Structure formats: structure tokens, C-alpha cells
């Protein structure tokens, strides 16, 4: 159980003393408001508020967000109103609390509720991304204490976590949070599959742990010998839910999975990353095509790291991930970390909003039919993503199974409309070709061509491309 003292400890080390008073006041207000209330787990309700604020403090979110974390259930669950919160804490905090409260009030069941929930999420994002982050911090604690909840409600919450909250955390670059949410929801949503995966990896995990410890010792010695600074070196077990998904893609064969445990090395800065990679490759031969430089070419969601898979003297393969402290914090806290390093103070600022948020907001405005809306969202947000390149080396992110036409329309509507052919990795390919991560795509155009073919609607898979083709055909 997290106490207010735990929360204060983090705050004292990260913020100025006089500013922390805001959070202390919020704590006293929330304690008073929730006095006497208990959660089904038997705990005093205030501990849920503290845990939510604690999660936000760990992400180093700003103090108004942390205060709102403490107050987030006050208007919904106590005698105090939003107006009271506003009178005591002002407009900014009241608006954050109002946003979180709105996300929590669900009226619909099934498909309707799902769509409704998504819409609320996107509207909240548009207003202020901090609302979503507070909601995620709240959800994390709810998932950690899910055992205390009624059974039918449990499944609903876990499902929602897997289908909505985890993908959103992922899109905000909060990978650690995403994997934690997934692993907490997994046993509730897919109990049998969970039991299967857990049983499957049990023995392998023991041998793999011993193996990665050996690798770690050798790597550590090498790094010390070359006087390379590292802050942290440790084996990291793949989270169960991603392992389950990967197993499904690999014919349920555990032997085809090389990254059950990866060795992760954290260093002070970027140049150290490459020094470490050099030392690792001097010791062990890398597998062809498995060296990935996400530092020079980050994933569009911001992920940066060096990955390599090497053959070791034990006749086995090891995956090694190298990143700087800053990259590691970014991987953990995503967009919240950016607000620190890049000094984007206001996450709600339209200018700093990721393009995919803007795009989803467009969809949410134009599509009123719920079933149609979900279809679009599933395509654009929840499908697995691939990363392809323009001939100039710009990274473009598309959903899995995207075609050169999706790529063309993603670049520009005119390029799509005038498309007459495509080269993938310098080879002429059909427009129906399914792109893969790492492909370099060149679109051939004819400036006299004005209209797309109607049957392109059956080829493209992104809703943006479909929309643009339909528009052009109507003209
Ligand atoms: Mn809550």
C-alpha cells in the first residue's frame, strides 16, 4: 500500500518545497471528502487517490496533475462537488478533475459503450492530454486491485484495459505502462491462454535466466576492461501478454522466440550506446538483419534504443538492448517524459499534439455511426503498426497490411490520386502488394492523371486513404 509519506518522498526530491504545498492541500481536501469510505478491498478510499497521484509523481508529471490525481474521484463519489474543487483549487485543476470524471461515467453496454468510451478519450485528449495520463494512472491502480472487484465487473474492466487503455498508453509512448496494464488484464480476459503461456515458459525461464546471467557477467567484464561507463545492466523478461501474441504469430513455437529474456544496458549518453554496441559485437557475432538502430531512426512513436541479436559461445542467441538514461525514461514515461526533456509544458497544447491524435479527432468528428467508427479506430489505432521509408529516408508509420496506395495517400492526396505504379526496395510491385517494416517505397506518378480507380477502395486499408479516394471520386 502506498502512503502519503511515500508520495511526499518523491515530491521532495523533484519539486520546490513551496510548490508541494498544493499537493498537500489536495491530500487534506481529498482525505476529508473520502472520510469513512472504503473500497471493496477493505482499504480506505483515500489510498486509491494516493496511489493514482503516486503513479503520476513517478512519471514526473506536473504538480497540478498530481493534485488532480488526488482529487479525481471527489465530485463523483463524495458530497463535495466540482464547484467546491474549483473554489479551492482553481480552474486548471478543476478542469483536469472534470475531464477524468467525464471519462469515468459510462452509460452504454457492449459495442455502444466501447464506442462511447473511445469518443470520450479522444475528446479528452484534444482538450488536455494530461487528462488521459491521469486516467491511465487511475486505471493502473484499479487493475492492481482488481481482485477486490465483483466478478462480472472485473472482466469488463480488464477487457476495457486491454482494448482501450493499453493501446492508448502505447500510442503515447508509455511502453512500460502499456505492458503492465496488459499483463494485469491478461489473466482475467484470457484465463486459459494465460495459464497455457505461464506453464509453457516456466522451465525455459529458469534456464534462460541462468544463461542471461552468464552473458551479463561477460558483457560487464568487457565494458569494465574498455572503461565504458554504464549505469545499469540487467536481464529483462518479455511480458507475458506480448509473448502470447508473438507465440500466436510464430505457430505457438517457443523455440522461435529469441527475446524471452533480453539483456538491457543503460548508459549515460548516446555516444556510450554505440561504444557498447561495438564492444558487444567484438565479443559476439551479430545475426544478420537483427541489428536495429532506433536511435538514428526512432520509431515514429518516439521509441529510441539499439537492439542487436548475437550468437554466443553457448551456442545460443541473445538479444541485447542498449539505450541512454534519457531514452530509458522516455520508454517508460512516453509523452510525459517529453514534457520534461523537451520542455513542452502544456501537453494540452494543440501544437504539440501528436498527428495521430489530430487524425483520430477528425475521424471522431466525421463518423457518427458507432459500428463504422469502431471499424475505423480499430484500423488506425489498434492494428499492429509497420514502419516504412520514403526514398529520402523519412520514416512513415502505417498499419500492418498497408499497400503502396496507402503509403501514397499518407504522403499527399495528389500523390495518391496521380499514382500509376510503385517501387518497393527498387523493384516494381503491384499496388496490392503488402508492405513490410523496413521497405523503401517510391511512388510513380503521372501528373495528367486526376482520378483514382474506383476499385482502389478495395485495395487500401487505411481509413484516411479510403476517405480521400471517395472524396476524389465524388468530384
Ligand atoms: Mn479512480
Amino acid at each position: 500500500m502506498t502512503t502519503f509519506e511515500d508520495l511526499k518522498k518523491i515530491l521532495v526530491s523533484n519539486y520546490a518545497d513551496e510548490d508541494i504545498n498544493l499537493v498537500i492541500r489536495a491530500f487534506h481536501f481529498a482525505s476529508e471528502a473520502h472520510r469513512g469510505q472504503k473500497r471493496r478491498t477493505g482499504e480506505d478510499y483515500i489510498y486509491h487517490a494516493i496511489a493514482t497521484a503516486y503513479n503520476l509523481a513517478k512519471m514526473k508529471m506536473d504538480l497540478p496533475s498530481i493534485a488532480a490525481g488526488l482529487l479525481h474521484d471527489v465530485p463523483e463519489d463524495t458530497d463535495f462537488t466540482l464547484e467546491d474543487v474549483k473554489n479551492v483549487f482553481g480552474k486548471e485543476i478543476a478542469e483536469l478533475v472534470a475531464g477524468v470524471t467525464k471519462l469515468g461515467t459510462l452509460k452504454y453496454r457492449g459495442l455502444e459503450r466501447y464506442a462511447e468510451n473511445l469518443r470520450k478519450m479522444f475528446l479528452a485528449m484534444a482538450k488536455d492530454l494530461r487528462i488521459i495520463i491521469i486516467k491511465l494512472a487511475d486505471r493502473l491502480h484499479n487493475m492492481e486491485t482488481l481482485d477486490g472487484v465483483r466478478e462480472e465487473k472485473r472482466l469488463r474492466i480488464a477487457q476495457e484495459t486491454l482494448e482501450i487503455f493499453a493501446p492508448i498508453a502505447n500510442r503515447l509512448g508509455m511502453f512500460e505502462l502499456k505492458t503492465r496494464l496488459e499483463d494485469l488484464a491478461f489473466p482475467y480476459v484470457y484465463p486459459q491462454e494465460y495459464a497455457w503461456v505461464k506453464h509453457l515458459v516456466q522451465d525455459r525461464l529458469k534456464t534462460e535466466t541462468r544463461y542471461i546471467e552468464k552473458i551479463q557477467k561477460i558483457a560487464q567484464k568487457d565494458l569494465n576492461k574498455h572503461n565504458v561507463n554504464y549505469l545499469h545492466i540487467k536481464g529483462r523478461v518479455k511480458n507475458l501478454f506480448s509473448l502470447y501474441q508473438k507465440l500466436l504469430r510464430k505457430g505457438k513455437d517457443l523455440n522461435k522466440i529469441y527475446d524471452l529474456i533480453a539483456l538491457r544496458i543503460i548508459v549515460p549518453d548516446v555516444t556510450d550506446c554505440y561504444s557498447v554496441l561495438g564492444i558487444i559485437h567484438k565479443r559476439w557475432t551479430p545475426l544478420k538483419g537483427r541489428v536495429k538502430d532506433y536511435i538514428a531512426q526512432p520509431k515514429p512513436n518516439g521509441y529510441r534504443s539499439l537492439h542487436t541479436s548475437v550468437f554466443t559461445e553457448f551456442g545460443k542467441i541473445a538479444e541485447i538492448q542498449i539505450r541512454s538514461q534519457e531514452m530509458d525514461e522516455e520508454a517508460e514515461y512516453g509523452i510525459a517524459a517529453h514534457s520534461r526533456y523537451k520542455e513542452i509544458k502544456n501537453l494540452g497544447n494543440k501544437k504539440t499534439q501528436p498527428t495521430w491524435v489530430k487524425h483520430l479527432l477528425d475521424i471522431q468528428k466525421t463518423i457518427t455511426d458507432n459500428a463504422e467508427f469502431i471499424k475505423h479506430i480499430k484500423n488506425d489505432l489498434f492494428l499492429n503498426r509497420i514502419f516504412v521509408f520514403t526514398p529520402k529516408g523519412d520514416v512513415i508509420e502505417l498499419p500492418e497490411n498497408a499497400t503502396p496506395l496507402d503509403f501514397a495517400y499518407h504522403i499527399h492526396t495528389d500523390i495518391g490520386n496521380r499514382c500509376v505504379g510503385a517501387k518497393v526496395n527498387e523493384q516494381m510491385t503491384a499496388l496490392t502488394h503488402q508492405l513490410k517494416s523496413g521497405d523503401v517505397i517510391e511512388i510513380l506518378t503521372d501528373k495528367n492523371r486526376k482520378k483514382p480507380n474506383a476499385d482502389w477502395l478495395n485495395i487500401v486499408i487505411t481509413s484516411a486513404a479510403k476517405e480521400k479516394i471517395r472524396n476524389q471520386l465524388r468530384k
Side-chain angles (χ1 to χ4, degrees):
M1 197 169 65
T2 312
T3 64
F4 188 62
E5 287 310 306
D6 299 327
L7 171 60
K8 242 162 94 182
K9 247 181 242 159
I10 304 194
L11 293 177
V12 168
S13 54
N14 288 324
Y15 304 88
D17 275 353
E18 63 271 22
D19 299 337
I20 296 174
N21 277 330
L22 171 70
V23 178
I24 296 174
R25 283 192 328 157
F27 169 67
H28 289 305
F29 189 94
S31 303
E32 185 57 37
H34 289 295
R35 184 186 298 276
Q37 287 181 340
K38 294 216 184 281
R39 301 184 90 212
R40 277 182 84 95
T41 52
E43 265 174 24
D44 283 340
Y45 200 98
I46 190 66
Y47 286 107
H48 167 62
I50 295 172
T52 303
Y54 182 82
N55 289 338
L56 291 163
K58 271 180 72 183
M59 297 174 199
K60 297 188 188 152
M61 288 291 287
D62 60 353
L63 290 164
S65 299
I66 297 170
L70 282 164
L71 298 164
H72 80 274
D73 280 327
V74 164
E76 187 68 9
D77 296 333
T78 76
D79 293 337
F80 290 84
T81 63
L82 192 59
E83 218 28 55
D84 296 330
V85 173
K86 193 177 168 187
N87 288 337
V88 179
F89 296 99
K91 195 167 158 245
E92 183 186 8
I93 289 175
E95 276 180 359
L96 290 173
V97 173
V100 178
T101 307
K102 255 193 219 140
L103 285 180
T105 53
L106 310 171
K107 283 183 201 133
Y108 300 90
R109 302 217 156 254
L111 178 77
E112 287 293 311
R113 163 144 69 192
Y114 182 43
E116 200 52 38
N117 229 337
L118 284 173
R119 280 180 197 278
K120 281 180 178 161
M121 287 286 183
F122 298 135
L123 286 178
M125 282 187 199
K127 252 190 129 179
D128 193 331
L129 272 175
R130 290 178 300 177
I131 294 170
I132 296 292
I133 295 171
I134 297 168
K135 187 69 197 170
L136 287 169
D138 167 50
R139 180 52 61 116
L140 178 60
H141 185 248
N142 284 336
M143 288 305 296
E144 282 166 349
T145 51
L146 199 57
D147 259 342
V149 171
R150 276 201 324 276
E151 204 181 328
E152 49 324 334
K153 210 175 155 197
R154 225 186 276 165
L155 179 63
R156 202 256 299 151
I157 293 174
Q159 236 157 8
E160 211 176 59
T161 300
L162 216 50
E163 286 178 1
I164 299 174
F165 290 94
I168 284 177
N170 185 44
R171 296 303 273 121
L172 294 173
M174 305 164 104
F175 306 112
E176 298 296 324
L177 179 59
K178 172 213 152 212
T179 55
R180 247 175 282 161
L181 289 174
E182 282 178 347
D183 276 1
L184 287 165
F186 188 23
Y188 296 100
V189 182
Y190 302 106
Q192 279 156 4
E193 291 81 350
Y194 171 77
W196 169 67
V197 176
K198 222 180 152 198
H199 180 78
L200 187 70
V201 294
Q202 227 162 35
D203 294 336
R204 267 285 294 277
L205 223 44
K206 272 187 219 137
T207 47
E208 293 275 305
T209 306
R210 278 197 297 271
Y211 166 64
I212 218 78
E213 277 166 1
K214 280 192 222 163
I215 298 293
Q216 180 181 333
K217 281 207 186 98
I218 297 169
Q220 233 162 334
K221 245 191 214 155
D222 278 0
L223 295 179
N224 290 337
K225 203 172 84 192
H226 289 89
N227 279 323
V228 173
N229 237 332
Y230 59 88
L231 303 168
H232 197 76
I233 178 166
K234 223 174 116 189
R236 197 174 177 291
V237 182
K238 194 175 184 66
N239 79 305
L240 274 191
F241 189 67
S242 353
L243 176 63
Y244 166 65
Q245 289 174 310
K246 200 163 186 177
L247 279 166
L248 293 187
R249 290 200 300 271
K250 304 268 175 186
K252 301 192 175 178
D253 184 358
L254 193 58
N255 292 319
K256 286 189 185 140
I257 296 189
Y258 299 133
D259 60 346
L260 190 59
I261 303 184
L263 186 66
R264 188 173 286 173
I265 306 173
I266 313 292
V267 295
D269 61 53
V270 181
T271 41
D272 300 320
C273 293
Y274 292 98
S275 313
V276 171
L277 186 71
I279 289 163
I280 295 290
H281 283 173
K282 205 175 152 218
R283 162 74 56 187
W284 296 300
T285 311
L287 256 82
K288 226 181 146 192
R290 292 291 299 257
V291 187
K292 287 169 198 151
D293 186 347
Y294 296 123
I295 297 176
Q297 278 170 330
K299 291 189 180 181
N301 50 10
Y303 181 78
R304 293 187 299 156
S305 199
L306 296 175
H307 288 193
T308 183
S309 299
V310 295
F311 292 108
T312 67
E313 59 266 54
F314 307 100
K316 287 177 75 176
I317 292 163
E319 171 159 318
I320 297 171
Q321 304 172 350
I322 307 156
R323 58 173 77 148
S324 71
Q325 175 86 18
E326 180 180 328
M327 294 171 203
D328 193 53
E329 292 195 3
E330 275 183 6
E332 176 136 23
Y333 306 123
I335 202 154
H338 282 282
S339 70
R340 260 176 302 150
Y341 287 109
K342 314 272 166 4
E343 291 189 3
I344 304 165
K345 281 272 156 50
N346 185 2
L347 286 177
N349 189 336
K350 287 241 159 64
K351 276 187 202 143
T352 58
Q353 217 162 47
T355 45
W356 64 271
V357 173
K358 287 190 193 119
H359 172 62
L360 288 171
L361 285 167
D362 282 346
I363 296 181
Q364 107 92 26
K365 259 182 246 149
T366 49
I367 302 173
T368 47
D369 178 65
N370 273 344
E372 185 68 5
F373 172 68
I374 288 175
K375 223 173 80 196
H376 279 261
I377 295 297
K378 281 214 157 140
N379 258 344
D380 290 357
L381 182 63
F382 299 108
L383 265 192
N384 284 329
R385 315 296 293 183
I386 57 166
F387 306 100
V388 297
F389 297 96
T390 67
K392 281 185 189 152
D394 291 327
V395 188
I396 304 291
E397 186 189 4
L398 290 167
E400 218 168 48
N401 303 331
T403 65
L405 277 173
D406 290 294
F407 175 87
Y409 277 100
H410 184 97
I411 302 287
H412 197 277
T413 309
D414 287 341
I415 298 198
N417 289 337
R418 291 173 186 163
C419 175
V420 289
K423 280 185 180 174
V424 174
N425 305 325
E426 302 188 337
Q427 299 277 330
M428 283 300 298
T429 32
L431 293 178
T432 51
H433 180 84
Q434 287 186 353
L435 301 176
K436 282 188 212 64
S437 270
D439 281 347
V440 179
I441 297 127
E442 187 185 342
I443 298 297
L444 310 176
T445 54
D446 176 351
K447 64 177 184 305
N448 296 318
R449 184 183 179 124
K450 294 271 150 59
K451 260 194 185 222
N453 284 341
D455 58 356
W456 284 3
L457 283 171
N458 302 320
I459 297 175
V460 297
I461 69 149
T462 51
S463 44
K466 273 198 183 121
E467 210 51 44
K468 287 174 179 172
I469 293 170
R470 266 196 217 110
N471 276 340
Q472 194 63 25
L473 288 173
R474 253 182 248 131
K475 275 182 197 163

